[in-house]
Amino acid sequence: MQWNNKLTALLDISYPIIQAPMLGITTPEMVAAISNYGGLGSLPVGNIDPVNVRALIQQTKTLTSKPFAVNLFTYDIPIAPDNSSFDAMQAHLQTTYTRSGLGVPTVDLKTLELFSYKDILPILLEENIPIVSFTFGIPDTQSLDQLKARNVIMIGTATSLEEAVQLEQKGIHIIVAQGMEAGGHRGTFLPGAFPQIGTMALVPQIVDRVGVPVIAAGGIMDGRGVAAALMLGASGVQPGSAFLLTKESMASEAHKAAIAAATDTTTRYTRAFSGRWARGLSNTLIASVEESELSILPYPYQDALTQPARKASKALDNPSFVAMWAGQAAGMAKKGVNTTDVLKALVEGAEQLIPSLKGQS
Ligand SMILES: Cc1cc2nc3c(=O)[nH]c(=O)nc-3n(C[C@H](O)[C@H](O)[C@H](O)COP(=O)(O)O)c2cc1C
């Protein structure tokens, strides 16, 4: 059984359900499970170094012969912060780590190796990735031309109507409307803006304005959310938090326990981990950075500075310094299930509410 619409036709999938790319959570196994079932898996490669990006893509290809998307963070590396603000933030974080008994290596601003999507895109082209999704902005003209020349399907992220209009004007084929309920980083890219529009309000406004298929993201946890998004005019959905507690999720056990205990009011926005606004669960690192009142470094410098603590904390299954990104409805995520079970429940739940979906073939 499959649901046919313009999105399934464009992406050559059976169900217009895209597993959200979740850097630090999504594994090749998760991506493959979704694509093999007939949805679209998305492999996040954010700011990972190009060598590891290629390895992750190749690993995913061994697990599925179906199409999957690779997801980029479309940012340019800004001018490095001055030494004094970097050093002040680092000294403060080191004091916090020491107080918590966590040994974390220091980061040297001079030797920091940072990658942008422009370093990663050639790998995607060499690997013949058919679908590329992105967040944080629109790729530059040269990158767009390269993608268009290879007939790559491009999926952009919008958190406001204006962002959606700009994505469509640049020839992006599909737009993810990311509501403020969504877990993880905001895809916001217009300077000075921080739109906080809920999925229910954002989706129909974008649907009414653009001609390309729209995918709803933010707060979709079960068949009710899928059906509601379709009713609002979305052609598909991109749930993320629904997959956080699956067996294929990379989250540690303590991290999963914190998500499982989340309620409607537990998540919040913060810039403490990366320098960009993101929604997740509070912990020691967020509290420490925010109480310090120090200037948070721009992305990806703050991200690079907190990276060793995230790694050390995760290795000890201690969630105090791990970025626990989660959406407002993350507490509804099912524990200990396979990724496929979550996808199946999304499909069957929506089919119960909209029986005509089943008849589409
Ligand atoms: C843990 C986590 C990590 C995320 N990482 C990414 C990412 O790497 N790239 C991206 O485009 N979106 C990322 N997102 C946002 C998702 O694409 C999506 O917008 C969001 O999960 C939808 O809201 P929901 O979590 O309520 O389902 C992430 C979300 C979460 C929860």
Side-chain angles (χ1 to χ4, degrees):
M1 194 61 69
Q2 58 179 37
W3 311 343
N4 284 347
N5 66 17
K6 54 186 173 181
L7 189 64
T8 55
L10 192 56
L11 297 173
D12 191 21
I13 53 178
S14 302
Y15 304 105
I17 300 182
I18 291 128
Q19 153 261 316
M22 294 184 284
L23 193 64
I25 296 291
T26 303
T27 53
E29 287 76 13
M30 182 186 286
V31 176
I34 297 285
S35 288
N36 287 337
Y37 193 85
L40 183 74
S42 332
L43 182 71
V45 297
N47 50 12
I48 298 178
D49 69 273
V51 173
N52 280 317
V53 169
R54 193 188 295 278
L56 284 167
I57 290 174
Q58 292 183 347
Q59 198 187 338
T60 309
K61 283 182 178 173
T62 65
L63 301 170
T64 183
S65 53
K66 296 280 179 63
F68 62 90
V70 176
N71 174 260
L72 298 172
F73 286 173
T74 13
Y75 63 89
D76 285 309
I77 297 169
I79 298 165
D82 59 74
N83 285 330
S84 59
S85 25
F86 190 88
D87 293 346
M89 181 59 78
Q90 173 134 272
H92 174 75
L93 287 169
Q94 281 293 336
T95 308
T96 310
Y97 304 149
T98 307
R99 250 192 234 129
S100 301
L102 188 71
V104 178
T106 53
V107 176
D108 185 350
L109 181 57
K110 289 192 289 296
T111 57
L112 208 53
E113 231 189 332
L114 298 170
F115 302 99
S116 89
Y117 71 99
K118 290 175 192 159
D119 303 306
I120 299 171
L121 188 58
I123 313 278
L124 272 51
L125 298 175
E126 280 165 33
E127 292 289 332
N128 291 316
I129 296 301
I131 305 158
V132 172
S133 68
F134 45 85
T135 186
F136 298 178
I138 307 176
D140 68 355
T141 307
Q142 196 192 340
S143 305
L144 287 177
D145 288 346
Q146 286 176 324
L147 289 160
K148 286 176 191 167
R150 306 281 189 107
N151 293 321
V152 174
I153 296 170
M154 298 180 285
I155 307 178
T157 306
T159 59
S160 69
L161 197 49
E162 179 56 24
E163 287 175 353
V165 168
Q166 292 203 11
L167 286 163
E168 185 179 42
Q169 280 168 353
K170 290 282 183 183
I172 306 309
H173 305 105
I174 299 166
I175 296 172
V176 174
Q178 187 190 40
M180 66 173 291
E181 300 91 326
H185 281 103
R186 305 288 299 138
T188 301
F189 58 88
L190 290 177
F194 186 50
Q196 297 182 55
I197 309 161
T199 310
M200 187 97 179
L202 185 62
V203 170
Q205 293 190 72
I206 294 183
V207 166
D208 286 351
R209 182 68 73 87
V210 301
V212 297
V214 174
I215 295 171
I220 297 167
M221 303 299 292
D222 57 25
R224 292 173 293 180
V226 178
L230 297 177
M231 289 294 174
L232 292 173
S235 299
V237 293
Q238 181 170 289
S241 295
F243 297 101
L244 282 172
L245 305 185
T246 60
K247 290 182 183 154
E248 291 82 359
S249 155
M250 245 193 282
S252 69
E253 286 313 309
H255 181 166
K256 285 182 174 173
I259 303 275
T263 69
D264 56 340
T265 55
T266 319
T267 66
R268 45 167 304 193
Y269 282 135
T270 182
R271 289 179 57 234
F273 269 102
S274 72
R276 280 191 66 101
W277 289 107
R279 180 181 291 287
L281 305 183
S282 292
N283 62 6
T284 310
L285 188 136
I286 295 176
S288 167
V289 170
E290 292 182 357
E291 278 160 26
S292 76
E293 294 187 2
L294 290 167
S295 314
I296 295 177
L297 308 174
Y299 189 93
Y301 292 97
Q302 184 77 12
D303 189 76
L305 198 49
T306 63
Q307 200 271 341
R310 283 182 269 146
K311 198 171 160 197
S313 189
K314 185 171 179 181
L316 296 170
D317 197 14
N318 166 1
S320 306
F321 298 94
V322 172
M324 292 190 285
W325 303 141
Q328 286 182 331
M332 292 169 72
K334 299 279 178 297
K335 298 174 220 76
V337 291
N338 295 316
T339 294
T340 316
D341 297 332
V342 175
L343 179 55
K344 199 164 173 264
L346 290 165
V347 168
E348 291 176 0
E351 284 177 345
Q352 267 173 20
L353 293 164
I354 312 179
S356 60
L357 285 172
K358 273 199 207 173
Q360 297 177 9
S361 61

